[in-house]
């Protein structure tokens, strides 16, 4: 008993010290009298940054596991015979997910590969470099012709690819970064304009007219059409096309909170407001609210992932945003990003570091009950199949499309949000050799193309165009009864030791 009395406090103290050492560069930012002009040397930000830099793969990057070269490799390994043959597929880099759970060399379930372009192919317009890699991805469909395009963030700029023929993507070139290169770039679309931000110093927001892609040919080096310079660097941007406002977050202004921009005229963006009360915001989704809490029907509401909590903010009055609620959850490590269910009743989100720090041995997807905007409740979590880190997720119908780094694309079927219950419906693994908790491979995904194709950005692998073979897709999440108990909200932050993941 005496030994236990001595050791237990020591364990707690060592845990706190270790955690503190790991986070010393992410101290709370100083309070400033002018939040719009917050200092540019704020040490906070995406905590995954330093880990991703540590996990960067040396070139050459992994070979493509599809196409004629891969078929030849298989033939050599199997004495001239192999199960994958390009001639049997729908395109030169296509592969159907077969009964062995492989699409060419990529592990899969209910997801077919339609095509891919590697990192060097996407950077071709920018010239040769040993530093290129991918980050964010978004998409655009021309409303008249229905031609589809993928917009791909890269280290030195932004690439544009037409995927109207998903089996034969056409590389159209790239827009160079505004200032310096950066491994962090984020893109959203307002009407026919791409809005691009970056962690690069003094980058601001690039504005690119996507109509120019309709007449493009060859590998073009594009120039921006307009620029917004009311902030320098920003980690993310969200565009609410229903209201015509953009929200830059994690910038060097507004204490890293919501920097609100009127982009109803995308070529002439104007500063509209600032929300700094809750400090640094890592990612956000803003909607014209039409959910269960009828008090706020028709108002513009933002749901933000704020490093250690989720916050709900009423931004209807841009000059005076009002926080409605903010709660933490037990063992929060880094509240990274999330998305509403289509009925706006629940917020599904990921914590980027709970797998990394060993809080969870499996990929953990969290759920908030936001049916009452002033009384948000933490429902619980779902543990997935692998131990990979979850990075970005998006909801479409009853499905959640997750980019889970080394595990690639993971598709979850929403079963019961009242108990955070999901079933795995499919996956496409772009890093077959490992599902460990490291910062490689699938950065993000875009599931909103009208054709139904899904795009994935692989940091070292490139752009993947895939198709999820869903057996069903409905409009709203189900809330069928379940025997699994829900978890009550917790606001206690539990310190934990740093655990270095192994491969």
């Amino acid at each position: 008993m005496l030994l236990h009395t001595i050791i237990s406090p020591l364990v707690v103290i060592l845990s706190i010290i270790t955690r503190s050492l790991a986070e010393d560069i992410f101290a709370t930012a100083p309070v400033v009298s002018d939040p719009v002009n917050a200092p540019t040397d704020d040490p906070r930000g995406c905590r995954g940054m330093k880990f991703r830099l540590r996990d960067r793969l040396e070139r050459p990057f992994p070979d493509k596991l599809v196409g004629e070269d891969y078929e030849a490799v298989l033939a050599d390994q199997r004495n001239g015979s192999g199960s994958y043959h390009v001639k049997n597929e729908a395109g030169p880099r296509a592969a159907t997910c077969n009964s062995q759970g492989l699409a060419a060399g990529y592990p899969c379930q209910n997801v077919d590969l339609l095509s891919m372009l590697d990192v060097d192919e996407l950077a071709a317009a920018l010239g040769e470099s040993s530093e290129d890699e991918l980050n964010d991805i978004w998409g655009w469909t021309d409303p008249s012709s229905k031609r589809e395009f993928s917009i791909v963030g890269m280290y030195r700029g932004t690439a544009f690819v037409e995927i109207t023929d998903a089996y034969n993507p056409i590389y159209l070139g790239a827009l160079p970064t505004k200032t310096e290169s950066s491994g962090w770039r984020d893109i959203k679309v307002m009407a026919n304009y791409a809005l691009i931000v970056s962690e690069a110093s003094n980058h601001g927001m690039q504005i690119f007219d996507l109509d120019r892609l309709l007449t493009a040919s060859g590998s073009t080096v594009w120039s921006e059409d307009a620029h917004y310079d009311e902030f320098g660097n920003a980690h993310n941007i969200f565009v609410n096309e229903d209201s015509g406002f953009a929200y830059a977050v994690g910038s060097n202004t507004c204490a890293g909170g919501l920097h609100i921009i009127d982009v109803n005229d995308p070529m002439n963006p104007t500063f509209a407001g600032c929300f700094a009360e809750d400090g640094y915001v890592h990612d956000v989704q803003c909607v014209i609210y039409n959910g269960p809490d009828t008090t706020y029907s028709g108002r513009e509401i933002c749901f933000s992932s704020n490093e250690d909590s989720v916050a709900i903010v009423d931004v209807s009055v841009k000059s005076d945003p009002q926080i409605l609620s903010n709660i933490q959850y037990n063992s929060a490590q880094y509240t990274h990003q999330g998305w509403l269910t289509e009925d706006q009743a629940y917020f599904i989100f990921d914590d980027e570091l709970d797998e990394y720090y060993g809080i969870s041995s499996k990929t953990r997807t969290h759920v908030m009950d936001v049916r009452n905007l002033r009384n948000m409740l933490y429902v619980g979590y779902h543990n997935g199949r692998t131990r990979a880190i979850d990075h970005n997720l998006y909801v479409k119908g009853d499905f959640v499309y997750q980019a889970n780094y080394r595990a690639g694309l993971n598709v979850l079927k929403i079963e019961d949000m009242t108990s955070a219950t999901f079933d795995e419906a499919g996956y496409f693994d772009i890093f077959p050799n490992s599902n460990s908790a490291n910062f490689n491979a699938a950065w993000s995904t875009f599931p909103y193309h009208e054709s139904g194709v899904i795009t994935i950005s692989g940091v070292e692998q490139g752009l993947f165009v895939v198709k999820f073979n869903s057996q069903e897709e409905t409009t709203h999440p189900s809330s069928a009864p379940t025997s699994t108990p829900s978890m009550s909200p917790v606001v206690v932050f539990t310190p934990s030791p740093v655990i270095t993941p192994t491969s």
Side-chain angles (χ1 to χ4, degrees), residues 168-245:
N168 296 284
I170 302 171
Y171 176 66
L172 300 175
L175 170 68
T177 183
K178 179 66 175 179
T179 54
E180 60 193 18
S181 298
S182 173
W184 288 268
R185 204 169 300 280
D186 200 76
I187 309 136
K188 297 296 183 294
V189 167
M190 174 64 192
N192 58 320
Y193 292 88
L195 310 182
I196 305 164
V197 302
S198 174
E199 287 283 3
S201 178
N202 297 317
H203 184 279
M205 181 175 73
Q206 293 177 300
I207 300 158
F208 180 80
D209 185 350
L210 294 165
D211 281 342
R212 298 165 70 187
L213 302 179
L214 299 175
T215 55
S217 61
S219 182
T220 303
V221 179
W222 301 97
S223 58
E224 65 184 29
D225 292 283
H227 187 258
Y228 178 83
D229 62 3
E230 293 297 318
F231 57 81
N233 63 287
H235 193 74
N236 268 295
I237 187 166
F238 179 84
V239 174
N240 185 355
E241 291 193 80
D242 292 329
S243 69
F245 286 88

Side-chain angles (χ1 to χ4, degrees), residues 111 399-402 409-413 423-427 468:
V111 179
F399 294 94
V400 183
Y401 298 85
Q402 302 177 303
L409 171 71
N410 198 69
V411 184
L412 297 180
K413 172 70 164 57
D423 285 334
E424 184 175 69
Y427 61 83
F468 169 50

Side-chain angles (χ1 to χ4, degrees), residues 284-322:
V284 69
Q285 181 189 13
C286 303
V287 298
I288 301 301
Y289 186 73
N290 189 33
D293 193 343
T294 56
T295 302
Y296 295 93
S297 294
R299 300 186 68 82
E300 188 164 13
I301 307 295
C302 291
F303 299 78
S304 62
S305 301
N306 294 6
E307 299 190 296
D308 63 355
S309 62
V310 173
I312 302 176
V313 183
D314 186 341
V315 294
S316 302
V317 180
K318 303 300 183 281
S319 60
D320 188 27
Q322 299 293 316

Side-chain angles (χ1 to χ4, degrees), residues 22-23 25-26 46-55:
E23 299 181 355
I25 65 169
F26 301 109
C46 181
R47 293 182 188 175
M49 284 183 175
K50 64 175 182 176
F51 302 123
R52 189 162 89 81
L53 292 173
R54 184 209 65 184
D55 285 346

Side-chain angles (χ1 to χ4, degrees), residues 29-39 254-255 274 276:
V31 176
V32 292
S33 57
D34 182 5
V36 176
N37 297 303
C254 303
C274 187

